[in-house]
Amino acid sequence: MKAMTLDIMISNEIRQFIADHKLKYQDKLPSERELCELFSVQRLTLRAAMKILEEMGIIYVVPKIGYFVAKQRITKNVNSIRLMSEIIKDHVSTYETKLFKFVKIEADKYLCRETNLPLGTKFFEIKCLLIADREPVCMDYCFIPIKLAPKLIKFKSDIENLNTILLNEFHFDFFRTTQRIRVVEAEDSYRDALGITGDAYVALLSGCIYDKQNHVLAFTESYMKYERFSFELF
């Protein structure tokens, strides 16, 4: 367990200050002098606390101007068995989905390896851009065995409610998931849609969702702007 040092304590106090004053994205925090007086600490300690908050994505710094509230990060519990679209909805004011692809495919070697299903298994491949508060934040791929939801394509126009459709219309029984996170270089296939420029990287969260009988219900790959997400494991 990490020791509760003074800089960590002050970072927590500043987080509470932001919440108590209902500060929002791009709101400016008081100056370093004012914050030092408010929390009765030296400037060196305050700067260490602000560095913690910056690394957590809670604030950002504009040189020679000051500290500002950053966009709220979307927290993803790695063990959650909900689709990424449902996770994002819980953290933002406005949400929308832009459908890029909804097609039938036969599993290639990669998909077979990831799902442990036979080569040639038929899937629906669904590719969507997930938009949070008018900002594209995630390119999401979902592969669903066609035999489990043969009429899924009928719900194409309501794709942003895919999680609910699978549960209510096709009686999917999400029970457990296996997920892994890694950082990868942003590819051309989603770089423009996410508004990524230069030699940028994204967080890739991928894995399968299973029912109680250990049948694969879906395989997902989510390419996320890592500065907009945080991950928890509990």
Side-chain angles (χ1 to χ4, degrees):
M1 181 180 293
K2 191 172 183 178
M4 185 62 72
T5 56
L6 183 56
D7 55 348
I8 294 176
M9 293 173 60
I10 296 302
S11 70
N12 290 336
E13 290 291 329
I14 296 172
R15 290 181 68 178
Q16 191 61 49
F17 176 90
I18 292 172
D20 291 344
H21 289 77
K22 296 181 172 58
L23 299 182
K24 300 178 181 179
Y25 172 53
Q26 293 185 327
D27 284 347
K28 190 175 186 297
L29 275 68
S31 67
E32 285 189 351
R33 179 182 59 80
E34 292 170 322
L35 289 172
C36 286
E37 292 177 357
L38 179 63
F39 297 108
S40 301
V41 294
Q42 296 182 349
R43 186 161 294 193
L44 188 63
T45 300
L46 177 74
R47 288 180 176 174
M50 300 305 270
K51 184 65 175 178
I52 292 172
L53 295 177
E54 184 182 4
E55 291 175 349
M56 294 174 66
I58 294 172
I59 66 169
Y60 66 94
V61 182
V62 178
K64 299 182 180 180
I65 297 179
Y67 300 101
F68 295 81
V69 178
K71 289 183 179 178
Q72 180 185 6
R73 289 200 178 195
I74 299 163
T75 302
K76 173 70 170 76
N77 177 4
V78 177
N79 290 324
S80 172
I81 55 176
R82 301 163 71 204
L83 298 181
M84 180 57 68
S85 57
E86 295 298 306
I87 301 297
I88 294 175
K89 287 179 185 178
D90 287 347
H91 289 82
V92 299
S93 300
T94 63
Y95 169 82
E96 61 181 300
T97 299
K98 182 177 180 181
L99 181 63
F100 275 56
K101 184 189 295 185
F102 197 137
V103 297
K104 296 179 181 180
I105 65 168
E106 289 189 359
D108 57 13
K109 291 182 179 179
Y110 169 74
L111 194 53
C112 290
R113 183 176 68 249
E114 294 295 320
T115 62
N116 200 31
L117 291 174
L119 190 66
T121 299
K122 292 179 172 57
F123 284 85
F124 285 118
E125 178 187 357
I126 304 170
K127 177 183 178 182
C128 293
L129 180 66
L130 309 184
I131 303 170
D133 292 331
R134 296 178 294 279
E135 178 192 0
V137 295
C138 176
M139 184 63 79
D140 195 60
Y141 294 80
C142 187
F143 299 87
I144 299 171
I146 291 178
K147 69 176 183 179
L148 300 181
K151 297 182 180 180
L152 181 60
I153 202 163
K154 290 173 53 179
F155 298 88
K156 182 177 180 179
S157 61
D158 193 26
I159 199 63
E160 70 179 41
N161 295 311
L162 178 60
N163 197 92
T164 301
I165 291 168
L166 293 175
L167 294 175
N168 295 342
E169 299 293 335
F170 299 100
H171 310 293
F172 276 33
D173 182 18
F174 292 167
F175 180 69
R176 72 176 183 90
T177 184
T178 56
Q179 300 280 300
R180 66 178 183 271
I181 305 172
R182 58 190 187 277
V183 176
V184 300
E185 188 173 357
E187 298 177 0
D188 293 340
S189 59
Y190 53 81
R191 177 189 291 269
D192 290 342
L194 286 173
I196 295 173
T197 59
D199 296 328
Y201 291 81
V202 294
L204 170 58
L205 180 68
S206 62
C208 289
I209 299 175
Y210 301 86
D211 64 13
K212 291 180 180 178
Q213 287 72 46
N214 216 35
H215 298 140
V216 174
L217 300 178
F219 172 68
T220 63
E221 289 186 325
S222 300
Y223 295 84
M224 300 169 283
K225 289 182 175 177
Y226 64 85
E227 70 273 13
R228 291 302 318 277
F229 290 85
S230 60
F231 301 94
E232 296 178 346
L233 180 61
F234 58 83

